[in-house]
């Protein structure tokens, strides 16, 4: 089992009547605008109102060698309200964060949740009613750089300089 899962969720893993998990999404466009939404009825959590917009995150799987595929995020586009921001490139490399939490923690406004972060890689399909975006991990892509790391003694005593 994952180590970053809150203990309240671990305790309910074997429960015969577990609490419902609620998904909340925060989409941060490339210009800094944040959109909060949920596939559930409109709620307020930690000072942010999450509006009800039908959406789903799918295809979060791994192959036999442990490589994760790129999940798809589908959301409604009623009357094409997201079409202009998409055509203006505001969803290019936008950050999508999914919070999963128990309904009881949502009602109590507790900061206990599982946080998953993604970047929008590309828009797979777009029409007046629906939009499908391909996601990637925040560490996957041309915008990510690993910091340089030096391996010198005394921090690494088994390394010899010659």
């Amino acid at each position: 089992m994952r180590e970053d899962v809150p203990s309240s969720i671990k305790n309910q893993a074997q429960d015969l009547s577990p609490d419902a998990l609620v998904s909340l999404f925060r989409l941060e466009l490339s210009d800094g605008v944040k959109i909060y939404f949920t596939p559930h009825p409109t709620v307020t959590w930690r000072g942010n109102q999450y509006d009800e917009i039908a959406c789903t995150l799918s295809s979060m799987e791994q192959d036999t060698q442990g490589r994760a595929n790129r999940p798809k995020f589908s959301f409604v586009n009623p009357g094409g309200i997201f079409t202009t921001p998409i055509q203006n490139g505001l969803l290019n490399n936008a950050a999508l964060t999914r919070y999963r939490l128990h309904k009881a923690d949502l009602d109590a406004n507790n900061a206990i949740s599982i946080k998953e972060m993604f970047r929008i890689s590309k828009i797979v399909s777009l029409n007046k009613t629906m939009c499908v975006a391909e996601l990637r991990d925040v560490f996957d892509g041309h915008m990510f750089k690993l910091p340089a790391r030096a391996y010198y003694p005394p921090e690494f005593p088994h390394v010899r300089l010659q």
Side-chain angles (χ1 to χ4, degrees):
M1 183 173 269
R2 291 176 47 175
E3 296 299 320
D4 62 339
V5 176
S7 60
S8 62
I9 294 177
K10 285 182 184 179
N11 293 340
Q12 290 194 7
Q14 303 297 323
D15 196 356
L16 294 177
S17 59
D19 285 344
L21 282 175
V22 178
S23 293
L24 304 175
F25 294 95
R26 182 185 75 198
L27 179 63
E28 186 171 349
L29 304 179
S30 58
D31 64 354
V33 172
K34 295 177 185 172
I35 302 169
Y36 299 92
F37 51 94
T38 180
H40 309 287
T42 300
V43 296
T44 300
W45 183 62
R46 301 190 65 203
N48 298 313
Q49 180 176 329
Y50 292 81
D51 295 319
E52 181 179 5
I53 296 177
C55 58
T56 184
L57 189 61
S58 61
S59 302
M60 293 187 59
E61 301 157 351
Q62 289 184 345
D63 64 10
T64 57
Q65 295 179 344
R67 292 184 302 247
N69 67 342
R70 295 208 168 163
K72 304 280 188 288
F73 181 64
S74 305
F75 56 98
V76 296
N77 186 19
I81 62 170
F82 291 108
T83 303
T84 302
I86 290 171
Q87 290 175 343
N88 291 338
L90 295 177
L91 264 71
N92 293 343
N93 206 33
L96 178 73
T97 306
R98 176 171 76 165
Y99 299 96
R100 290 189 301 163
L101 60 150
H102 286 291
K103 178 79 168 91
D105 291 328
L106 176 68
D107 293 339
N109 203 24
N110 292 334
I112 300 172
S113 66
I114 298 174
K115 180 180 177 181
E116 297 170 298
M117 297 174 62
F118 304 95
R119 292 279 182 186
I120 293 182
S121 177
K122 64 181 178 181
I123 302 298
V124 177
S125 69
L126 173 66
N127 58 40
K128 288 184 180 181
T129 59
M130 197 73 172
C131 179
V132 178
E134 182 181 83
L135 305 177
R136 60 180 166 82
D137 192 88
V138 293
F139 298 119
D140 177 19
H142 66 282
M143 303 288 279
F144 179 74
K145 295 180 183 176
L146 286 173
R149 178 77 169 130
Y151 299 94
Y152 296 115
E155 188 179 354
F156 297 93
H158 301 289
V159 175
R160 304 262 190 260
L161 298 175
Q162 295 185 8

